[in-house]
């Protein structure tokens, strides 16, 4: 999705891969595997520094599905949220739904929910921007945006475009980023 929207991307696997990023996407996947990889590579503290933990001066971050879980209080503790894993049910309960996301103009975004979490708790600095069946499924806090669904699997790029606009606003004025935009 980011490539289609013209962004330059690269994968982040080790701390050195974080150098020069203007934005970061923590994608869907398996949060336990992500946690193990972050621990193995010593990425937790570099990620916290990149996000500006405590200062609010970090780069824009988009967390999708497992990315939402990774940003919560129990994992990287970057957002004041607690995610409920597999909240809508196991794999066989995966579904699609139209999601009205505050701040995204136009019709609802088609959300693809695969073993999706929801936001079970959140602090006062967190803005809930979408719900499904009365459960928060998208939120913002500072420069971080999380969604419990996989917008990247659909054809609608508006959510990712919104993220890229925040990256552009935060990017240094000296010109194009070295090595690309979000990863």
């Amino acid at each position: 999705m980011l490539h289609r929207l013209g962004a330059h991307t690269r994968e982040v696997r080790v701390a050195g891969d974080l150098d020069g990023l203007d934005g970061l996407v923590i994608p869907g996947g398996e949060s336990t595997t992500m946690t193990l990889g972050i621990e193995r590579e010593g990425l937790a503290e570099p990620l916290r520094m990149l996000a500006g933990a405590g200062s609010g001066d970090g780069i824009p971050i988009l967390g999708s599905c497992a990315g939402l879980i990774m940003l919560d209080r129990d994992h990287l503790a970057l957002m004041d949220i607690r995610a409920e894993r597999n909240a809508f049910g196991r794999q066989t309960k995966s579904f699609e739904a139209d999601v009205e996301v505050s701040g995204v103009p136009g019709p609802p975004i088609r959300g693809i929910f695969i073993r999706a979490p929801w936001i079970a708790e959140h602090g006062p600095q967190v803005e809930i921007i979408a719900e499904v069946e009365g459960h928060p499924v998208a939120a913002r806090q500072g420069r971080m945006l999380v969604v419990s669904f996989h917008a990247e699997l659909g054809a609608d790029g508006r959510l990712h475009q919104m993220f890229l606009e925040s990256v552009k606003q935060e990017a240094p004025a000296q010109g194009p980023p070295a090595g690309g935009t979000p990863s």
Side-chain angles (χ1 to χ4, degrees), residues 9-168:
T9 66
R10 69 172 181 246
E11 289 186 9
V12 171
R13 301 221 182 251
V14 297
D17 294 339
L18 297 170
D19 294 342
L21 292 182
D22 295 322
L24 178 69
V25 174
I26 302 178
E30 216 298 307
S31 60
T32 301
T33 301
M34 289 178 173
T35 299
L36 292 171
I38 287 170
E39 288 173 3
R40 181 186 66 243
E41 298 301 331
L43 276 168
E45 199 52 40
L47 284 168
R48 288 184 185 106
M49 289 175 55
L50 190 71
S55 72
D57 292 334
I59 66 169
I61 297 176
L62 170 62
S64 175
C65 196
L68 178 151
I69 295 167
M70 295 309 302
L71 293 171
D72 86 349
R73 296 172 189 152
D74 296 332
H75 293 81
L76 291 170
L78 292 172
M79 284 188 76
D80 190 10
I81 60 173
R82 185 181 64 76
E84 181 74 31
R85 292 174 52 174
N86 300 319
F88 291 99
R90 304 297 297 168
Q91 188 76 24
T92 59
K93 299 293 185 181
S94 297
F95 65 98
E96 294 185 29
D98 289 331
V99 183
E100 293 275 351
V101 180
S102 177
V104 177
I109 290 175
R110 190 70 176 167
I112 301 170
F113 293 81
I114 304 169
R115 294 179 55 204
W118 64 47
I119 298 168
E121 298 173 9
H122 65 88
Q125 299 300 314
V126 175
E127 175 190 8
I128 301 300
I129 59 173
E131 293 185 354
V132 168
E133 299 175 5
H135 301 288
V137 296
R140 278 190 218 165
Q141 181 178 345
R143 295 179 178 142
M144 292 175 284
L145 169 65
V146 292
V147 295
S148 66
F149 52 91
H150 293 272
E152 75 280 2
L153 296 179
D156 190 333
R158 290 176 295 149
L159 184 77
H160 290 82
Q161 188 62 50
M162 182 172 82
F163 169 69
L164 290 175
E165 290 301 320
S166 70
V167 170
K168 287 178 190 174

